[in-house]
Amino acid sequence: MLWWILLILALVYIGLLAYRALRFRPAPEEARRPPRAPAVTEMAVAVKLSELVKLPTVSFMDGKGEDPAVFSAFQEKLHALYPAVAERCERMLIGEKGIIYRWPGRSGEKPSVMMSHYDVVPAPDENWVHPPFSGAILDGYVWGRGSIDTKCTLAAAMEAAEQLIGEGFVPENDIYFCFSGDEEVAGPTAPAILSALQKAGVRPWFVLDEGGGIVSDPLPGVSRACAQIGACEKGQAELIFTAEALPGHASRPPRHTALGQVARAIRRMESRPWPLRYSPVFLQMAQTLGPYAKWPWRLVYANLGPLRPFISLATGLRGGEFSSQLRTTAAFTMAEGSAATNVLPQRAMASANARIMPGENSKSARRRAQRIARGLGVKVEAQVFSEPSPISRTDDEVWRTLCDAVQDVWPEALPLPFLYMACTDSRHYSRVCEHVYRFSALAWTKEERALMHSYNERISVKALGRMQAFYQCLMMKL
Ligand SMILES: [Zn+2]
């Protein structure tokens, strides 16, 4: 009898979930408008990007191996490549690697900041079809390190301004182009640029940096063109696990060496993923895109609340991109023990790169890791790189202006806020501006996204043209 009751209850529960999924329908869409992107000469931006890629502006954590002459050569090349910008806009160089151009508008009241960085990560020659700093324009692509990350946004924004200035256009509000040369190593330039702006009395009203793009697979199970605009970003910290023990000969080991203790902590950490946390931007995305999902994903998105324990378990066990959108993560990347194979380590260390969800912070991440490692003789410390950013507004005119510019170029794409999982220089602006967005204005596949920081990084000439068109549309609205 009891079994029958349980079976009926289970069937009713499943029926309810299915009913909710069936009623989960897309909001009626406005008739798709025609594209309003201006015509651009894609090759012009491609040729200039190629010139910029040829300069190996590689930044290093310790600064060793960097060539300051290349960075100043980049600054001068940029000035020479965009003569109209150079003439119309005031240039300020900040420190050794910061560049600001101020394009005066009719008003200085609501200034915008177009951000980018021109330093790149190292690119060993192996595996590249065309050398990483060749800037080759071949097969419809500009090849080379930095072509995607992110000299492309820099070149496209500058070309857009060059074009508009040439047409005699004056923006409604001042537009600042702020480029840093040490983003990849979390250098001091972006904060220095921000404080220079603040000293000059500039309060950024709208900030755009690299970030999301146009994708056709925004969520698992969903095939729908979508413009993913980063409205917030995760924080980052190194969680360092250390254990100490007496040194000695490896022929007479204790049950667990110091390295073994650390390994046990790693094992515990990996078997206990962070609890699920639906960020407001994820909920907005699931609510809007869930109705387009195929089964059984539609059932999932329609029932995020009731299915929470299952989603938590399944994503936690699986890991990967979707899971990372839903929780803080910690990836163990480095470990260290004894210096010789037959010597017991006196000190062992492992380090996990933690990416922290908005709503949490590095302190809570460290505390949780320490709790998990309790009883193992392992100490956990945190080296904080950045705290999670606040969530920018997605309910006002500024957000709608950005979405409008996106749809001028990609009318088929639904603009939606999302959680950007990497760190950008724009995080410094989140303290002083509630409209900080991360969007690279680029339609890309998962494979193309994977080219960042990898070999054969390249961007299509066509994509560059659309990127420039987007900046033009945006600048005309700001
Ligand atoms: Zn970047």
Side-chain angles (χ1 to χ4, degrees), residues 91-126:
R91 181 176 76 156
M92 288 156 272
L93 297 177
I94 308 296
E96 282 175 12
K97 293 179 176 170
I99 310 169
I100 302 178
Y101 281 99
R102 174 180 164 263
W103 183 9
R106 290 179 212 285
S107 155
E109 210 181 308
K110 294 178 176 175
S112 296
V113 178
M114 304 291 153
M115 295 181 67
S116 192
H117 65 88
Y118 63 95
D119 63 317
V120 297
V121 293
D125 269 336
E126 293 100 69

Coordinates of all heavy atoms in Angstrom, one line a residue, residues 91-126:
R91 N 45.6 63.1 -26.4 CA 46.2 61.8 -25.9 C 46.9 62.0 -24.6 O 47.6 63.0 -24.4 CB 47.2 61.3 -26.9 CG 47.8 59.9 -26.5 CD 48.7 59.3 -27.5 NE 50.0 60.0 -27.6 CZ 51.1 59.4 -28.1 NH1 51.0 58.2 -28.6 NH2 52.2 60.1 -28.2
M92 N 46.7 61.1 -23.6 CA 47.5 61.2 -22.4 C 48.1 59.8 -22.2 O 47.4 58.8 -22.4 CB 46.6 61.4 -21.2 CG 46.0 62.8 -21.1 SD 44.5 62.9 -20.2 CE 43.3 62.6 -21.5
L93 N 49.4 59.8 -22.0 CA 50.1 58.5 -21.7 C 50.2 58.4 -20.2 O 50.7 59.3 -19.5 CB 51.5 58.5 -22.4 CG 51.4 58.5 -23.9 CD1 52.8 58.5 -24.5 CD2 50.6 57.4 -24.5
I94 N 49.8 57.2 -19.6 CA 49.8 57.0 -18.2 C 50.8 56.0 -17.9 O 50.7 54.8 -18.3 CB 48.4 56.5 -17.7 CG1 47.3 57.5 -18.2 CG2 48.4 56.4 -16.2 CD1 47.3 58.9 -17.7
G95 N 51.8 56.4 -17.1 CA 52.9 55.5 -16.8 C 53.6 55.0 -18.1 O 53.6 55.8 -19.1
E96 N 54.1 53.8 -18.1 CA 54.8 53.3 -19.3 C 53.8 52.6 -20.3 O 54.1 52.5 -21.4 CB 55.9 52.3 -18.9 CG 57.1 53.1 -18.3 CD 58.1 52.1 -17.8 OE1 58.0 50.9 -18.1 OE2 59.1 52.6 -17.1
K97 N 52.7 52.2 -19.8 CA 51.9 51.3 -20.6 C 50.4 51.8 -20.8 O 49.6 51.1 -21.4 CB 51.9 49.9 -20.1 CG 53.2 49.2 -20.1 CD 53.1 47.9 -19.6 CE 54.4 47.1 -19.7 NZ 54.4 45.9 -18.9
G98 N 50.1 52.9 -20.2 CA 48.7 53.3 -20.3 C 48.5 54.4 -21.4 O 49.3 55.3 -21.6
I99 N 47.4 54.2 -22.2 CA 47.0 55.2 -23.2 C 45.6 55.6 -23.0 O 44.7 54.8 -22.8 CB 47.1 54.5 -24.6 CG1 48.5 53.8 -24.8 CG2 46.9 55.6 -25.7 CD1 48.5 52.9 -26.0
I100 N 45.4 57.0 -23.0 CA 44.0 57.5 -23.0 C 43.9 58.4 -24.2 O 44.8 59.2 -24.4 CB 43.7 58.3 -21.7 CG1 43.9 57.5 -20.5 CG2 42.3 58.9 -21.8 CD1 43.7 58.3 -19.2
Y101 N 42.8 58.3 -24.9 CA 42.4 59.3 -25.9 C 41.1 59.8 -25.5 O 40.2 59.1 -25.2 CB 42.2 58.7 -27.3 CG 43.5 58.4 -28.1 CD1 44.1 57.1 -28.1 CD2 44.2 59.4 -28.8 CE1 45.3 56.9 -28.8 CE2 45.4 59.2 -29.4 CZ 45.9 57.9 -29.4 OH 47.1 57.7 -30.1
R102 N 41.0 61.1 -25.5 CA 39.7 61.8 -25.1 C 39.1 62.4 -26.4 O 39.7 63.3 -27.0 CB 39.9 62.8 -24.0 CG 38.6 63.6 -23.8 CD 38.8 64.7 -22.7 NE 37.6 65.6 -22.8 CZ 37.6 66.7 -23.4 NH1 38.7 67.1 -24.0 NH2 36.5 67.5 -23.4
W103 N 37.9 61.8 -26.8 CA 37.2 62.4 -27.9 C 36.1 63.3 -27.4 O 35.2 62.8 -26.8 CB 36.6 61.2 -28.7 CG 35.9 61.6 -30.0 CD1 35.9 62.8 -30.6 CD2 35.1 60.7 -30.8 NE1 35.2 62.8 -31.7 CE2 34.7 61.5 -31.9 CE3 34.8 59.4 -30.7 CZ2 33.9 61.0 -32.9 CZ3 34.0 58.8 -31.7 CH2 33.5 59.6 -32.8
P104 N 36.3 64.6 -27.6 CA 35.3 65.5 -26.9 C 34.0 65.4 -27.6 O 33.9 65.4 -28.8 CB 36.0 66.9 -27.2 CG 37.2 66.7 -27.9 CD 37.3 65.3 -28.3
G105 N 32.9 65.3 -26.8 CA 31.6 65.3 -27.3 C 30.9 66.6 -27.0 O 31.6 67.6 -26.6
R106 N 29.6 66.7 -27.2 CA 28.9 68.0 -27.0 C 28.8 68.2 -25.5 O 28.7 69.4 -25.0 CB 27.5 67.9 -27.5 CG 27.4 67.9 -29.0 CD 26.0 67.8 -29.5 NE 26.0 67.1 -30.8 CZ 26.4 67.5 -31.9 NH1 26.8 68.8 -32.0 NH2 26.4 66.8 -33.0
S107 N 28.9 67.1 -24.7 CA 28.8 67.3 -23.2 C 29.8 66.4 -22.5 O 30.2 65.3 -23.1 CB 27.4 67.0 -22.8 OG 27.4 66.6 -21.4
G108 N 30.2 66.8 -21.3 CA 31.1 65.9 -20.6 C 30.4 65.2 -19.5 O 31.0 64.6 -18.6
E109 N 29.1 65.3 -19.5 CA 28.3 64.9 -18.3 C 28.2 63.4 -18.2 O 28.3 62.9 -17.0 CB 26.9 65.4 -18.5 CG 26.2 65.7 -17.2 CD 24.8 66.2 -17.5 OE1 24.7 67.2 -18.3 OE2 23.8 65.6 -16.9
K110 N 28.1 62.7 -19.3 CA 27.9 61.2 -19.2 C 29.0 60.5 -20.1 O 28.7 59.9 -21.1 CB 26.5 60.8 -19.6 CG 25.4 61.3 -18.7 CD 24.1 60.8 -19.2 CE 23.0 61.3 -18.2 NZ 21.6 61.0 -18.8
P111 N 30.2 60.6 -19.6 CA 31.3 60.1 -20.5 C 31.4 58.6 -20.5 O 31.0 57.9 -19.6 CB 32.6 60.6 -19.8 CG 32.2 60.8 -18.4 CD 30.7 61.2 -18.4
S112 N 31.7 58.1 -21.7 CA 31.9 56.6 -21.9 C 33.3 56.3 -21.9 O 34.2 57.1 -22.3 CB 31.2 56.2 -23.2 OG 29.9 56.5 -23.2
V113 N 33.6 55.0 -21.6 CA 35.0 54.5 -21.6 C 35.0 53.3 -22.5 O 34.4 52.3 -22.1 CB 35.5 54.3 -20.2 CG1 37.0 53.7 -20.3 CG2 35.5 55.5 -19.4
M114 N 35.8 53.3 -23.6 CA 36.0 52.1 -24.4 C 37.3 51.5 -23.9 O 38.4 52.1 -24.2 CB 36.1 52.4 -25.9 CG 34.9 53.2 -26.4 SD 33.4 52.1 -26.4 CE 32.1 53.3 -26.3
M115 N 37.3 50.3 -23.3 CA 38.5 49.8 -22.8 C 39.1 48.7 -23.7 O 38.3 48.0 -24.4 CB 38.3 49.1 -21.4 CG 37.9 50.1 -20.3 SD 37.6 49.2 -18.8 CE 39.3 48.7 -18.4
S116 N 40.4 48.5 -23.6 CA 41.0 47.3 -24.2 C 42.4 47.2 -23.6 O 42.9 48.1 -23.0 CB 41.1 47.6 -25.7 OG 41.4 46.4 -26.4
H117 N 43.0 46.1 -23.8 CA 44.4 46.0 -23.5 C 45.2 45.5 -24.7 O 44.7 44.8 -25.5 CB 44.6 45.0 -22.3 CG 44.3 43.6 -22.6 ND1 45.2 42.7 -23.1 CD2 43.2 42.9 -22.4 CE1 44.7 41.5 -23.2 NE2 43.4 41.6 -22.8
Y118 N 46.5 46.0 -24.7 CA 47.3 45.6 -25.9 C 48.5 44.7 -25.6 O 49.3 44.4 -26.4 CB 47.7 46.9 -26.7 CG 48.6 47.8 -25.9 CD1 50.0 47.8 -26.0 CD2 48.1 48.8 -25.0 CE1 50.8 48.6 -25.3 CE2 48.9 49.7 -24.3 CZ 50.3 49.6 -24.5 OH 51.1 50.4 -23.8
D119 N 48.6 44.3 -24.3 CA 49.6 43.3 -24.0 C 49.0 42.0 -24.3 O 47.8 41.8 -24.4 CB 50.0 43.4 -22.5 CG 48.9 43.1 -21.6 OD1 47.8 43.6 -21.8 OD2 49.2 42.3 -20.6
V120 N 49.9 41.0 -24.6 CA 49.4 39.7 -24.9 C 50.2 38.6 -24.1 O 51.2 39.0 -23.5 CB 49.7 39.4 -26.4 CG1 48.9 40.3 -27.3 CG2 51.2 39.5 -26.8
V121 N 49.7 37.4 -24.1 CA 50.4 36.4 -23.4 C 51.5 35.8 -24.3 O 51.4 36.0 -25.5 CB 49.5 35.2 -22.9 CG1 48.5 35.7 -21.8 CG2 48.7 34.6 -24.0
P122 N 52.5 35.2 -23.7 CA 53.6 34.7 -24.6 C 53.1 33.7 -25.7 O 52.0 33.1 -25.5 CB 54.5 33.9 -23.6 CG 54.2 34.5 -22.3 CD 52.8 34.9 -22.3
A123 N 53.8 33.6 -26.8 CA 53.4 32.7 -27.8 C 54.6 32.0 -28.4 O 55.2 32.5 -29.4 CB 52.7 33.5 -28.9
P124 N 54.9 30.8 -27.8 CA 56.0 30.0 -28.4 C 55.6 29.7 -29.9 O 54.5 29.4 -30.2 CB 56.1 28.8 -27.5 CG 55.2 29.1 -26.4 CD 54.3 30.2 -26.7
D125 N 56.7 29.6 -30.7 CA 56.4 29.4 -32.2 C 55.7 28.1 -32.5 O 55.1 28.0 -33.6 CB 57.7 29.4 -32.9 CG 58.0 30.9 -33.4 OD1 57.0 31.6 -33.5 OD2 59.2 31.2 -33.6
E126 N 55.9 27.0 -31.7 CA 55.4 25.7 -32.0 C 53.9 25.7 -32.4 O 53.1 26.4 -31.7 CB 55.6 24.7 -30.9 CG 57.0 24.3 -30.5 CD 57.4 25.1 -29.3 OE1 56.9 24.8 -28.2 OE2 58.2 26.0 -29.5

